[in-house]
Amino acid sequence: MKAVVLAAPGQIEVRTLPDPAPARDQVVVRVHACGICGSDLQLVDGTLAGAAYPFVPGHELAGEVVAVGADVADLRVGDRVAADPSLPCGTCAPCRRGAVNLCRRFGVIGASVDGGFAEYVALPARNAYVLPEQVSYAAGALLEPFACVVHGFQRLAPPAGSAFLVVGAGAIGLMLLELALRTAPAEVVAVERHAERRAVAERLGARAHATVAEALATRPEGFDCVVDATGVPAAVEEAFDTVAPGGRLLLFGVARASDRVRLAPYRIYRDEITVLGSMSVGHAFAPALELVAGGAFELERLVTHTVGLEGFAEAVELLRRGEALKTHVIPSLVDGSGAASAR
Amino acid sequence: MKAVVLAAPGQIEVRTLPDPAPARDQVVVRVHACGICGSDLQLVDGTLAGAAYPFVPGHELAGEVVAVGADVADLRVGDRVAADPSLPCGTCAPCRRGAVNLCRRFGVIGASVDGGFAEYVALPARNAYVLPEQVSYAAGALLEPFACVVHGFQRLAPPAGSAFLVVGAGAIGLMLLELALRTAPAEVVAVERHAERRAVAERLGARAHATVAEALATRPEGFDCVVDATGVPAAVEEAFDTVAPGGRLLLFGVARASDRVRLAPYRIYRDEITVLGSMSVGHAFAPALELVAGGAFELERLVTHTVGLEGFAEAVELLRRGEALKTHVIPSLVDGSGAASAR
Amino acid sequence: MKAVVLAAPGQIEVRTLPDPAPARDQVVVRVHACGICGSDLQLVDGTLAGAAYPFVPGHELAGEVVAVGADVADLRVGDRVAADPSLPCGTCAPCRRGAVNLCRRFGVIGASVDGGFAEYVALPARNAYVLPEQVSYAAGALLEPFACVVHGFQRLAPPAGSAFLVVGAGAIGLMLLELALRTAPAEVVAVERHAERRAVAERLGARAHATVAEALATRPEGFDCVVDATGVPAAVEEAFDTVAPGGRLLLFGVARASDRVRLAPYRIYRDEITVLGSMSVGHAFAPALELVAGGAFELERLVTHTVGLEGFAEAVELLRRGEALKTHVIPSLVDGSGAASAR
Amino acid sequence: MKAVVLAAPGQIEVRTLPDPAPARDQVVVRVHACGICGSDLQLVDGTLAGAAYPFVPGHELAGEVVAVGADVADLRVGDRVAADPSLPCGTCAPCRRGAVNLCRRFGVIGASVDGGFAEYVALPARNAYVLPEQVSYAAGALLEPFACVVHGFQRLAPPAGSAFLVVGAGAIGLMLLELALRTAPAEVVAVERHAERRAVAERLGARAHATVAEALATRPEGFDCVVDATGVPAAVEEAFDTVAPGGRLLLFGVARASDRVRLAPYRIYRDEITVLGSMSVGHAFAPALELVAGGAFELERLVTHTVGLEGFAEAVELLRRGEALKTHVIPSLVDGSGAASAR
Ligand SMILES: NC(=O)c1ccc[n+]([C@@H]2O[C@H](COP(=O)([O-])OP(=O)(O)OC[C@H]3O[C@@H](n4cnc5c(N)ncnc54)[C@H](OP(=O)(O)O)[C@@H]3O)[C@@H](O)[C@H]2O)c1
Ligand SMILES: NC(=O)c1ccc[n+]([C@@H]2O[C@H](COP(=O)([O-])OP(=O)(O)OC[C@H]3O[C@@H](n4cnc5c(N)ncnc54)[C@H](OP(=O)(O)O)[C@@H]3O)[C@@H](O)[C@H]2O)c1
Ligand SMILES: NC(=O)c1ccc[n+]([C@@H]2O[C@H](COP(=O)([O-])OP(=O)(O)OC[C@H]3O[C@@H](n4cnc5c(N)ncnc54)[C@H](OP(=O)(O)O)[C@@H]3O)[C@@H](O)[C@H]2O)c1
Ligand SMILES: NC(=O)c1ccc[n+]([C@@H]2O[C@H](COP(=O)([O-])OP(=O)(O)OC[C@H]3O[C@@H](n4cnc5c(N)ncnc54)[C@H](OP(=O)(O)O)[C@@H]3O)[C@@H](O)[C@H]2O)c1
Ligand SMILES: [Zn+2]
Ligand SMILES: [Zn+2]
Ligand SMILES: [Zn+2]
Ligand SMILES: [Zn+2]
């Protein structure tokens, strides 16, 4: 099969590899769509721990089951599936508490083992979720980031009538906005620098501003639920200043390990502000799929570009330059040129 | 002023009473709309504890501030307001824990003191909430039952992706459905005997069935959040059977004190089902107002009938016969005949 | 090896079986102690679903690792361990939500696969928890029921200052009492018919009464956290009547599937009472072990009798007659007679 | 009556004032004990907002009811009471949500109105809690800070089996430790510079270290519940580094409004750490009283010094120098010299 291989940090190749065969508890999936996200950039750059170079990246994938291991009872060839890429160890302290996303030996399909930027991928049957027919492969390949968003809301636990502020309206911020708009909010406000992304946020039903200061001016009493979807320390600090008494600030964006944010402990005490994080999917893949299957979310509209496997390197550059909201690699696309086709 | 007076159980009169004057911490409100609900029937019948006959009923009210007591700082004449009718004592054990709705000496405007089926009503300033201009008096007079519904959801705390079943689609059931539809549900199903009410539920976006059995057949794995909005023991028992493992059954309907429901303790244990209740408004009036002000809810559509003060007795009969979803008494309506005008 | 085998319902045998060998992800444990509990009686009687006759019962076990499968990294021969017997499938809906104890295909060591009433048992390495040296094998074999109790408290989530009532002071009720006494309670009251068990409850620090009515008389305002530890419907109904406004009733005891309890829906509504269940260990084995390792709990004192494998049948009778609080089978005990030695 | 008066920032006087009379909803209390805490220092210095100079400070008070207003039903002359000093407005946004401690117009007995460093104090009946006879006035006067601690634990919501670290073992830190030790902890560790305070912590049952680094070395996997009881930014930053994955950091100490702490957003994300604050009593006075009445807490031992009204200025200096854990002003003490008597 053809597959994108990260041979080493900085080294993207498209190689021919042997077709994978399923282990007893695995299925093999023919990949129909696999999304690129920020952590893929870090894998390309070699700045993410836990990657097993050389390996096939790709953790936002959907496709069709083409082979089934001997012990697999719930799936059969032909099933349309999306994959939760999480591979918790099951025995570390967080795993034993049920906090699988905080696993001390966390593996990820597309980082610690081969992933979805390939014609085929082998993965544990328990990681594959059957897509009902109304859910497209494109939507299926968006379930992983959306499940992260749903997990974030499980952490946030916003009561009905909350006022929301989401800072950053990239693919993730837009999904956060879409979910916020559907959780009986008092209002939902986006902050985003790029006018076209603000326009998308507004189309979804949010109010949008270019700066946090502008957003706060429209609601001086502050927001009950504030979410950072940038990972930028300066944005987090500004976001903190907009939290209403009793409110919560969710750090959803991924900062660098060396970053620091400067927060006022007096406000955390006096206004009983809660600052919390959300990491990965946890147990949210199933509810994310329920939500998408229910028809209220139209995630596919976030896919602005599609490429074939040969287009992976170019897709990486599109993402780096902030030109694509979400690019899907479609292995069946024959794109000798590797040119991304904008949708 | 003119006012409806319950002189004694079974004795409805329209009397002329002295216009109320505000105590130091009170405002006087000219009533623009006041809704009738099931507990008013119980007050008419004399089957609700805590009523101070003779008194003016009416606890779902909105109107205009026409006088302000000496110590009132936040309100002024001309403010458009709706009232939270709750009068917790502030010193009993539940009040001191913050559970004001569980107050052991709970008073209610329109039961323990005079209420809103009158031209004017005096009430504590802290019970009056200013309506933003986009919220009509009709919507304002629906805030009290809607706040009960919001409080019920605070108790239920449904995570995103929950499947909902609401049994009973009267005014309350329909509000529960409307809120469920806006809390990122997997799906929302109504059970209701009356076809016209099922039609309203469907117009809101829910699926509707005539029996619980039919509803369950469409989702044999059960529902994560089940709400009884009938108060009928047989309905509660059927509802219990539809709860999915790990799910919750909210008893929102008000049963008689002597009623009993027969539940299987084994299922509560084995499937970790939670059965819980929701009583009155609690601290949910403000978020209810935020939700309505935000524009997503169109509560006024539930008002099927309006009458003047002279029409109160007839409105009571309409409600008893299940012909009205929600009737509003509009004191300024001149309705010599007392005929209810259907909308 | 020698092992107790339930050949079929009602048929207890002690057989010689081949010594088990570890699968790749398993360890083999030499059993030092294995407790008998109520569900073992149901397995003997054939009234519990999911048992795979003939099989070796025993799910409350501790012992020493004597062999390690090829893929096992965290355990080595000589480790002292206790076992969480839970075998969730990992792919059903509750498993995917993280509610492993509600698994639709729940397996249990000692019911669906061979368990601990044997000289040796093979079990997945992930189910084995290393015991620190201060935790005896006797305490280790009590970790499973204690973990159920800890899970029950995770469900109950009692705030500091809660008043507790526990109905039933068998081995389980006594553990519930011991944990309640250590969660900053206002007070802890036990209800238990047997005077000697009341005496144990009092020695732990609880107040004890023979009837629910007596207990309620001492606290007419009711209890914030009420736990049924009998599984008897009449006891559950009485327990329900003692719950204070805003309080919770935990059904910990296991009723028969056909049992029904009659509860007043009006009280669930008016007093916002929550009735909830707790099933098995969930993710509580690790915190249970932390608690016991910390030294505050002296679970071993609950072990009133010990027998060898030949004494299993007699131990079953002891339990049936309510004469033993907890009996441990110690496979190394040579007890030709099978006589239980009371401690 | 004689009373301590803060005439202006920096100006402590003992004056003779008219004896207070009760308003309709008030009681007058003869003060038996009133504790000094850090916020009194700020009131002396004029660095706390909301103080109404000249006024009588003192918000940790207990005494005997000597007069009762016309509308007061639940209290009578002779009742022994302690006071919750909170005076929320009841109508601001947080008050309406039930978050009375986050009131935007928060008043406090002993700051916005006259308090307990006086022979008598008038206060709303709803703020007075009757002490059962086994609770001394000394314990009663410690209920306010202890209720803050209980409220902090309501915010923290530690599950059974949590490992605790408390940084700072002043009067507050010691109360936090005492409560942590009674919430079924895995272990409880204190960090405190002063050896004598470490000794008190150890006497209570905690392990104690002089530095955070030492404490962390004993538990490298980190602590589930970390509480800062210093208000010192450097201590908060160190405390943050000790939080285990999935753990919580409670900021209980009161920093200056201008202080900033530098935290790693990556860790908040990756390890899903929650940072939260706790402010004042909230609804925790009643459970705090229940806990003390239950007999498990011996708060009086924290009272290291007692003085009369004339000794207030000296007590302030004792506190500033960190020589007293808790000083109680006992108005009946005749202390011409004002000398503090150490206990
Ligand atoms: N927690 C999780 O489980 C999880 C899962 C997936 C992704 N993530 C993280 O979520 C974050 C968002 O992902 P994404 O794919 O949406 O990234 P993205 O496409 O880079 O979107 C971020 C957006 O925020 C804007 N922005 C940055 N700083 C801003 C500021 N101060 N004010 C206003 N706008 C600002 C960016 O504009 P510029 O391009 O001009 O900077 C960009 O438009 C990333 O950090 C990602 O790693 C977290
Ligand atoms: N918890 C609170 O704070 C709170 C606040 C307000 C109201 N409530 C309660 O909420 C409940 C609903 O109020 P509402 O004003 O909406 O009452 P409603 O107009 O009587 O509506 C109840 C609806 O449920 C239907 N129904 C009854 N049993 C049914 C069954 N077994 N299967 C299907 N449908 C069934 C009724 O039909 P029929 O007319 O044919 O019986 C009716 O259409 C009442 O009990 C009320 O007291 C509670
Ligand atoms: N939820 C879970 O995960 C879980 C885990 C383990 C066990 N359990 C269940 O927990 C329950 C208790 O287990 P156990 O081993 O402690 O059982 P046990 O030894 O039978 O103890 C129950 C005690 O309650 C007493 N009792 C029964 N009805 C009473 C009443 N109305 N008033 C006062 N006392 C009454 C019994 O007395 P008599 O003997 O005279 O009836 C007995 O002393 C069982 O139902 C068991 O199946 C649940
Ligand atoms: N949240 C609330 O509702 C609430 C209520 C009451 C009080 N408080 C706050 O709680 C905090 C504690 O009150 P308190 O009366 O116990 O104060 P305290 O007597 O000053 O005690 C604080 C202790 O922490 C020690 N300490 C400071 N920095 C340390 C460090 N880096 N490492 C180790 N130990 C350190 C102090 O030692 P040194 O004396 O040497 O600095 C002192 O012994 C204060 O900030 C107070 O304002 C909050
Ligand atoms: Zn792990
Ligand atoms: Zn009350
Ligand atoms: Zn399962
Ligand atoms: Zn306020």
Side-chain angles (χ1 to χ4, degrees), chain C residues 160-161 179 182-186 219 287 290-291 294, chain D residues 160-161 179 182-186 219 287 290-291 294:
Chain C
L179 190 47
R182 280 169 182 74
T183 50
R219 193 177 175 96
E290 285 262 18
L291 285 172
Chain D
L179 190 46
R182 279 170 183 74
T183 50
R219 194 176 174 96
E290 286 261 19
L291 285 171

Side-chain angles (χ1 to χ4, degrees), chain B residues 269, chain C residues 148 168 170-172 192-194 197 229-230 235 252-254 278 280:
Chain B
Y269 145 76
Chain C
C148 292
I172 288 291
E192 165 63 45
R193 302 202 258 246
H194 300 281
R197 293 183 172 193
T230 71
F252 198 88
V254 181
S278 170
S280 187

